[in-house]
Each structure stands twice: as C-alpha cells, then as structure tokens.
Amino acid sequence: MTIGDGLVAIAAALAVMTGIFSTAGQGYVAAKAVEAVGKNPEAENEIRTMLILGAGIAETAAIYGLLIAFLILFAY
Amino acid sequence: MTIGDGLVAIAAALAVMTGIFSTAGQGYVAAKAVEAVGKNPEAENEIRTMLILGAGIAETAAIYGLLIAFLILFAY
Amino acid sequence: MTIGDGLVAIAAALAVMTGIFSTAGQGYVAAKAVEAVGKNPEAENEIRTMLILGAGIAETAAIYGLLIAFLILFAY
C-alpha cells in the first residue's frame, strides 16, 4: 500500500465516523422511551412508534457517512 | 509494513471508533431501564423490550463503523 | 521496527480505545442500580437482571474495538 492508499482509507474511516454521536443521541431517545414505558406501560405501542420514528430521523447523518465511506473505498 | 500499510491499519481503527459513544449512550439507556424497573417492577417486560429495541437502534452506527473497519482491513 | 510497524501498533491501540467510555457508561448504570435497590429493595432481582442485561448491551462496542485490535495485530 502506498501512503496515498493509506490516506484514502483514513478518509473512508473519517466519513463513517460521521455517525459517532448518533449512538449517543439515539441512546438518549431510547433512555427516554424506557423511562416513559416504565411510567405508563399501557402506552407501550405509542412510545415504541415514536422511538422508531425519532431514532430513524436521527440515523440519517450516520447513513450519509456510511454511503460516502463506501464510495471512497470502492468507487473512488 | 510500509507507512501506507500502517495508515490503512489506523484507518480501520478510526472506523471501529465510530462506536466510541455507543457504550455511553447505551449505558444511559440501561441506567434508565434500571431506574424504571426499580420504580415499577411490574412493567419489567415492557421496559426490557424497550431497552433491547432502543439499544439495538443506538447500535447501528457502531456496526457501520465495524463493517467499514473489516472492509478496510480485508477488502481494500 | 519500521515506521509502518509503529503505525500499525498505534492503530491497534486506537481500536481498543473504542471502549473508552464504557467504564463511564456502565458506571452510570451501576450507580442507578445501587440507587434503585436502595429505594426499592424488594425489586432487587428485577434490578439485578436489568443491570446485567443493560451493561452487557453497553459492552458491545468495546468488544468490537478489541476484536479489530486483535485483527490489526495478528491478522493484518
């Protein structure tokens, strides 16, 4: 591998690291969902729906990073 | 190993580090689950389900990083 | 050792550092478990179960980092 190859690989790694805080943000969403279902177990279905919707929205940037990482590795 | 090989290895390490906050985020989810089950032990099943679902969602970006790390090491 | 070998060793170290916040996250879970069992000792079994499950989930990203560190050192 040349230094250039190594730098391209580092670029792909940096791209996928875009999702680094999505784990923290989604952890916060999930924590609140757990807290909510503990307080009001009858609302489990509504809470689950909101968790999936909210976490899905918070996932988008991580997916952008993954996409660019793939493109850097295999289409660049 | 050449410098290029070393940079590729660093890239794989950075990629897997995408999950660096997932331990903190999931720790927060788990903390809220422990707290919720302490307050309302009868809702244990609903709380456990929400914990597993929420933590699984918060795991995705860490898995993206692991995937890119494998690709960098073995398919690049 | 060449500079490349040194970079590979740094890469393995970075990879295992993925678990850097797991001590903090799991410490928080344990803290909440202690608090919960103090408030509601009758729920000890449910709280202990949730602690073990939650902390296990929060461990995963640290294990990914360990795995990649091993692979960088011995399979790369």
Side-chain angles (χ1 to χ4, degrees):
Chain A
M1 298 273 182
T2 66
I3 292 176
D5 290 333
L7 292 176
V8 168
I10 286 177
L14 290 175
V16 80
M17 285 178 81
T18 304
I20 201 166
F21 289 112
S22 93
T23 52
Q26 290 176 339
Y28 189 62
V29 181
K32 286 297 176 186
V34 164
E35 193 174 47
V37 86
K39 283 182 186 160
N40 189 0
E42 293 79 30
E44 192 189 358
N45 280 331
E46 289 86 346
I47 293 167
R48 193 192 313 107
T49 305
M50 204 59 79
L51 168 63
I52 292 172
L53 174 66
I57 292 171
E59 185 79 18
T60 50
I63 292 172
Y64 299 164
L66 181 66
L67 172 68
I68 296 297
F70 275 121
L71 291 176
I72 288 172
L73 285 178
F74 299 114
Y76 180 63
Chain B
M1 297 273 182
T2 65
I3 293 176
D5 290 332
L7 293 176
V8 169
I10 287 177
L14 290 175
V16 80
M17 285 178 80
T18 304
I20 200 166
F21 291 112
S22 94
T23 51
Q26 290 176 340
Y28 189 60
V29 183
K32 285 296 179 187
V34 165
E35 194 173 46
V37 86
K39 282 182 187 161
N40 189 0
E42 294 79 32
E44 193 190 356
N45 279 332
E46 288 86 346
I47 293 167
R48 193 191 314 106
T49 303
M50 205 59 79
L51 167 64
I52 292 172
L53 174 66
I57 290 171
E59 185 80 18
T60 51
I63 292 172
Y64 298 165
L66 182 65
L67 171 68
I68 295 294
F70 275 121
L71 290 176
I72 287 172
L73 284 179
F74 300 114
Y76 179 63
Chain C
M1 297 267 184
T2 65
I3 293 177
D5 290 332
L7 292 176
V8 169
I10 288 177
L14 288 175
V16 80
M17 283 178 75
T18 305
I20 200 167
F21 292 112
S22 90
T23 51
Q26 292 176 341
Y28 188 61
V29 183
K32 284 294 181 187
V34 166
E35 191 175 50
V37 88
K39 282 182 187 161
N40 188 0
E42 293 80 31
E44 191 192 354
N45 279 331
E46 289 86 346
I47 293 167
R48 192 190 316 105
T49 303
M50 205 59 79
L51 168 64
I52 291 171
L53 175 66
I57 291 171
E59 185 79 20
T60 51
I63 292 172
Y64 299 166
L66 181 65
L67 171 68
I68 295 295
F70 275 122
L71 290 175
I72 287 172
L73 286 178
F74 299 115
Y76 181 62

